[in-house]
Amino acid sequence: MAATAGERPPSPIWSCPELGLHALVGATGAVRLGGPDRDWDCLVPLVEVTATGHGRLWSGERSIETALGDRLALRGHETVRHGGLERTTIRLADAVTGLAAEVTLERGGSAGAHEGAAGRGPGVGDGSGGFLRARVRLVNEGGAPVRLEGVTTLTLGGMTGADGTLDGLTLHWADNDWLAECRWRRSPYRDEVVPLNRSAHGHEGRGCFERYSQGSWSTGRHLPMGALTDRDGGAWLWQIESGAGWRFETGEREGCAYLALSGPDDAHHQWHQVLAPGEEFTTVPAVLVRTRTGGLDAAFGILTDHRRGIRHDHPDHRELPVIYNDYMNTLMGDPTTEKLLPLVEAAGAAGAEVFVIDAGWYDDDAQGWWDSVGAWEPAPGRFPGGVHEVLDAIRRQGMTPGLWLEPEVVGVRSPLARTLPDEAFFRRGGLRVTEHGRHHLDLRHPAARAHLDRVVDRLAGEWGVGYLKLDYNINAGPGTENGSESPGAGLLGHHRAHLDWMASLLVRHPGLVLENCGSGGLRMDYAQLAVAQVQSTSDQQDPLRYPPIAASAATAVTPEQAGVWAYPQPDQSLDEIAFTLAGALLGRVHLSGFLDRMSDEQFGLVRRAVRVYKDVRHEIASAHPVWPLGLPKWDDAWIAHGLRGRTATFLTVWRRAAGPGAPGSGSRTLPLPHLRGVHLTPEVLHCGPSGAAVRWDAAGGLLTVSLPRTGTAALLRLDVPA
């Protein structure tokens, strides 16, 4: 470790061997995070703070190299252990402003893989990987206000490939959009962060590779995640847990890569916050996963267990009931008693355990319901005998009744838009925000929260509804200004109040299940998924376009929370029905379709698929995702997604088009290195009448799957002998 002449070398105050990270303190008390064998100059301060009047030391687009972050000096630190977690608090202070930072680092060891059988890979606690979860609390202990413009939750430097350079690193990120969620992309690191010749200027570059959210759809553009992998199977994987503004960046510093994970900032989210003396601010959490072997599959296994560990405990995560929802490719927001009763009977006969009446149940408006929502009362014209006639029919079929709700919006034509005060809504420049015919509630206001409490207590309490699909179909922009606050600060404040409101519902109604939906997967973040039980993964209606979303959903959400549509129809062939059902069988089944109009043969295929799901679902809640062909591209002909359980590996394989290989090739070989050397007999659990053939090569750990037709899929089980 290099040190300036006459100075003592930096010394470690904290270490995390699983991640290969050390917190080092320098001669001035500055604390930096990175590898133990890295030069001090390639590391970055543990906390970077952009504040008005205290900018950067080197101007550019980066959130690092801030003047205030550089001045923060060590005040003290302590470590406590609780269960399987170790929590370290590092306290820093800036002598100029009086700003104090309390950095909380929670670490956990290797999560995942299951040890004991030959070829199964690393096991829990073997040191092959782990995670670090960070959060920063700032307190103004000085005598003057400090205007914050950005605060990092976690920064670290000194990242390279196993060869000590950046040349072998690959950068991964996920684009996200309506109907096209979880589209992972990869690029050589050097294609995104190009090498610069520093010999002339002596400075680093001014730019970086960045991804960030925009507006109130937290995943409307990208997932709040990214990764770096090296050629030897090592991986860094990160996640920012925010529904109200996030950003990550990576760039080069002294020949190494650095990483900065943040919540909202001024430049990207119109966020700033003034801390008066004595006031404080806490950042959104962020998580870093590190594995030395196993690549992204191993890293996502650790992240999956971390996600399970931070969730609100709920029976739904273990029971995984089959959900029928009347919306997708079926009633499409036009439910009536006449249309629903046959679907209720058919869904119950198919094996569904929850029946959700989706959008439109409140609509009796000749001009349409979109801009008139808010009261959430049943529409008499749709339910001549009352909505309870349908709710009771659902219960008679042994299913839990559910309803769709979009709680955060009030239509501009709704009576609530006139009776609630202006302060209960998002406002900017003193005017109510209006987006696509809706106003947006601010759940920090007691009138807004009281209104929604009354609605949910009526639905879940008086009506006995046990499942609420909470949708969110507008992007309200940067946020709301309440007095002098910035829009981004208003959005973060509302977001935290929204999480508190959802948690309070589960306290008052412990059996209630909450589904998180944002026009499909546009709010797929683990701030909200730590509270909600189920996540809608997409509104995609084309069964041939859903597989890459269904296969990649486990990157963004635990498998047992990933609601995937399965919408078989009476006008489909048996192979097409099997195809659309297959994608949901390793997640959460969101069954839809006109089941009541199917032939006996078609309906029998649906019932068998539901039975298969019920046979395997007890494995899903503790299994870890794998992608034998890698994370899928949008147009891949063959896609494979699996789950590694404790006694078996399950694989869903889709063939959407001919190839690769010879024209019309109907086979694809999947590498399963964790099963290499294990002698087993693969079993086809689900497929269409065209069939599926499998061949296992134990020595090579290779599974060859044959699907003779395009537009077919199969679910396979590979049991490991006891």
Side-chain angles (χ1 to χ4, degrees), residues 64 96 106 283 415 465 693 699 706:
I64 64 167
V96 176
E106 290 181 341
T283 66
V465 170
S706 298

Side-chain angles (χ1 to χ4, degrees), residues 420-450:
L420 289 174
D422 282 343
E423 294 79 12
F425 295 95
F426 274 30
R427 293 168 297 152
R428 291 198 292 272
L431 302 175
R432 281 193 197 180
V433 173
T434 303
E435 178 71 12
H436 199 179
R438 277 103 176 271
H439 300 308
H440 195 297
L441 291 172
D442 186 341
L443 284 182
R444 295 174 296 176
H445 195 279
R449 181 155 176 165

Side-chain angles (χ1 to χ4, degrees), residues 327 333-335 357-364 369 376 379 382-383 404:
Y327 186 82
D334 188 26
I357 304 172
D358 207 280
W361 58 271
Y362 38 79
D363 173 30
D364 243 355
W369 56 263
W376 309 113
R382 293 183 174 276
F383 306 102
W404 181 95

Side-chain angles (χ1 to χ4, degrees), residues 13-58:
I13 59 170
W14 170 87
S15 63
C16 182
E18 295 91 341
L19 276 72
L21 291 179
H22 291 244
L24 305 169
V25 58
T28 65
V31 178
R32 297 185 179 185
L33 188 63
D37 56 347
R38 298 301 182 193
D39 188 86
W40 175 259
D41 290 337
C42 76
L43 307 182
V44 290
L46 181 60
V47 181
E48 294 279 17
V49 181
T50 306
T52 307
H54 307 269
R56 298 176 180 85
L57 298 174
W58 176 241

Side-chain angles (χ1 to χ4, degrees), residues 14 23 31 33 46-47 76-80 85-92 100-107 131-138 151-155 241 281-288 306:
W14 170 87
V31 178
L33 188 63
L46 181 60
V47 181
H77 64 96
E78 62 185 14
T79 297
V80 296
L85 286 178
E86 177 185 282
R87 179 182 290 111
T88 296
T89 302
I90 299 175
R91 293 181 296 278
L92 308 167
E102 185 178 271
V103 184
T104 301
L105 303 174
E106 290 181 341
R107 55 180 275 203
F131 71 85
L132 181 70
R133 189 178 193 231
R135 193 192 298 250
V136 178
R137 175 174 168 263
L138 296 179
V151 186
T152 61
T153 293
L154 181 63
T155 53
E241 297 166 5
F281 169 74
T282 301
T283 66
V284 302
V287 177
L288 177 71
H306 161 72

Side-chain angles (χ1 to χ4, degrees), residues 25-252:
V25 58
T28 65
V31 178
R32 297 185 179 185
L33 188 63
D37 56 347
R38 298 301 182 193
D39 188 86
W40 175 259
D41 290 337
C42 76
L43 307 182
V44 290
L46 181 60
V47 181
E48 294 279 17
V49 181
T50 306
T52 307
H54 307 269
R56 298 176 180 85
L57 298 174
W58 176 241
S59 190
E61 300 296 321
R62 303 179 176 198
S63 62
I64 64 167
E65 300 164 325
T66 64
L68 208 157
D70 188 65
R71 295 197 307 258
L72 286 171
L74 181 66
R75 177 185 276 181
H77 64 96
E78 62 185 14
T79 297
V80 296
R81 291 174 176 83
H82 180 73
L85 286 178
E86 177 185 282
R87 179 182 290 111
T88 296
T89 302
I90 299 175
R91 293 181 296 278
L92 308 167
D94 171 37
V96 176
T97 62
L99 194 68
E102 185 178 271
V103 184
T104 301
L105 303 174
E106 290 181 341
R107 55 180 275 203
S110 173
H114 314 299
E115 51 188 336
R120 282 191 171 187
V124 173
D126 67 357
S128 61
F131 71 85
L132 181 70
R133 189 178 193 231
R135 193 192 298 250
V136 178
R137 175 174 168 263
L138 296 179
V139 181
N140 184 358
E141 297 179 354
V146 178
R147 187 178 186 271
L148 304 174
E149 297 181 359
V151 186
T152 61
T153 293
L154 181 63
T155 53
L156 65 146
M159 305 166 73
T160 66
D163 62 358
T165 74
L166 301 180
D167 296 335
L169 289 181
T170 299
L171 181 61
H172 307 256
W173 70 96
D175 293 339
N176 213 60
D177 197 358
W178 184 54
L179 312 182
E181 291 84 351
C182 303
R183 298 185 337 272
W184 281 85
R185 300 178 62 188
R186 55 183 292 169
S187 177
Y189 191 81
R190 277 308 195 192
D191 283 0
E192 306 298 331
V193 180
V194 298
L196 304 175
N197 185 345
R198 295 184 56 207
S199 60
H201 288 283
H203 286 290
E204 298 287 358
R206 300 184 187 272
C208 58
F209 178 91
E210 63 176 357
R211 289 292 181 267
Y212 54 90
S213 65
Q214 186 176 54
S216 57
W217 274 327
S218 60
T219 56
R221 307 173 75 200
H222 311 283
L223 295 182
M225 305 175 62
L228 288 173
T229 56
D230 63 31
R231 293 167 178 161
D232 295 338
W236 292 267
L237 173 66
W238 55 87
Q239 162 181 290
I240 304 171
E241 297 166 5
S242 172
W246 59 265
R247 178 177 178 266
F248 73 77
E249 70 176 64
T250 181
E252 183 174 0

